[in-house]
Amino acid sequence: MENVTQLVSVITPVHAPSIEYLAGAYESLAKQDMPPGWDWQWLVQEDGQTGALVDALPDDPRISLGTGRPGGPGVARTLALSRVSGQLIKVLDADDQLTPGALARDIAAFDAHPQIGWTTSRVLDLLPDGLTAGWDKDPAGGVIDRGAVLAFWQANDYRASVHPATLCLRRDLVFALGGWMALPASEDTGLLLAANAVSEGYFTREYGLLYRKWPGQVTSQAAHREPAEYQARMRIIEARAHALASMVPNGFDFGGSATA
């Protein structure tokens, strides 16, 4: 990382069924064209302690492997925060892939809008046959007001207006919010709504992520929509966002800095 002054810390939780997709995630990272003075580090965190990651990834000094007791993706993501060196923290699930230029567009948004705390982008679903499909309700590109994502989520059967799998956040904001929620699922939605409760964000109209659809993904399992737990998760996420909004009425102040 010679002459690199700033980093994007990319956090990827992984469990056994998704290890086979890590090579694709790495390839999408390796192809990122970073702005001058920037690079990325990849914090891959196993949700468990099997050691299966040791032979799953190439020899790249930008990769940092971690393990921990099984606790779900939220716990794995939050444990990975102990190794963060970057000013920005980017979400990348093990089975997904960044599109070319995704990280550079995130950085550019923070540079252009110093008041924002997070960014998101459009998503293409990557289907099992290799085809892709988009969503026709993406918002206009630009700054997203505080509370706007929560309002949409409440009005649209708990579906967010932007995709949490594309989040890039300021490091200090992630730590101030306590990382990802201690939930068995939807922890990324919880972080998105918490971040929107205390800061403006930004939505990039360019596609930033290929979101893989496959039978083994957590969100396709029946347990993910089991009614009692699902409603409990949604109530907790909603209550946290409302509490943050009321306790931080003027939003977080990032000191007028962009990505420094």
Side-chain angles (χ1 to χ4, degrees):
M1 298 183 186
E2 187 177 356
N3 298 322
V4 170
T5 59
Q6 299 189 91
L7 288 174
V8 179
S9 296
V10 182
I11 291 182
T12 297
V14 61
H15 66 327
S18 59
I19 287 177
E20 64 178 292
Y21 297 112
L22 280 175
Y26 172 75
E27 183 179 354
S28 75
L29 267 173
K31 291 180 177 178
Q32 294 296 304
D33 187 10
M34 302 297 286
W38 281 87
D39 204 346
W40 49 264
Q41 64 166 168
W42 193 21
L43 308 177
V44 184
Q45 184 76 26
E46 182 189 359
D47 183 33
Q49 297 171 306
T50 68
L53 293 179
V54 174
D55 299 319
L57 293 170
D59 183 15
D60 187 323
R62 296 172 294 183
I63 300 175
S64 170
L65 304 182
T67 64
R69 290 179 291 171
V75 171
R77 295 182 209 268
T78 301
L79 279 175
L81 290 175
S82 66
R83 308 194 308 281
V84 162
S85 298
Q87 294 83 3
L88 300 176
I89 294 175
K90 177 71 173 177
V91 172
L92 178 61
D93 287 347
D95 48 359
D96 295 341
Q97 298 176 20
L98 298 175
T99 62
L103 295 183
R105 289 190 291 272
D106 287 333
I107 293 166
F110 283 104
D111 283 339
H113 305 280
Q115 81 279 15
I116 65 172
W118 51 276
T119 69
T120 53
S121 67
R122 298 181 81 187
V123 170
L124 282 172
D125 287 341
L126 179 59
L127 306 177
D129 59 6
L131 297 177
T132 58
W135 192 42
D136 61 1
K137 294 183 175 62
D138 287 315
V143 174
I144 298 176
D145 292 337
R146 286 184 62 202
V149 180
L150 175 63
F152 185 98
W153 182 79
Q154 291 173 314
N156 290 272
D157 194 29
Y158 299 138
R159 181 160 188 171
S161 53
V162 295
H163 206 304
T166 68
L167 271 171
C168 186
L169 310 100
R170 293 181 184 274
R171 170 194 173 121
D172 288 349
L173 178 60
V174 176
F175 278 98
L177 294 173
W180 284 264
M181 297 189 75
L183 295 172
S186 308
E187 78 289 339
D188 52 355
T189 297
L191 181 58
L192 167 64
L193 294 181
N196 180 230
V198 297
S199 67
E200 294 179 350
Y202 190 87
F203 181 72
T204 301
R205 287 287 297 178
E206 288 89 346
Y207 289 107
L209 188 75
L210 296 178
Y211 181 78
R212 188 182 302 275
K213 296 284 191 177
W214 60 289
Q217 68 186 133
V218 173
T219 53
S220 70
Q221 307 306 308
H224 187 70
R225 287 278 178 170
E226 191 281 320
E229 183 195 282
Y230 178 79
Q231 289 298 322
R233 296 200 315 265
M234 298 306 105
R235 286 195 297 271
I236 295 166
I237 290 169
E238 184 176 32
R240 182 197 193 196
H242 280 303
L244 284 165
S246 65
M247 296 177 71
V248 191
N250 296 320
F252 279 5
D253 181 2
F254 299 110
S257 64
T259 50

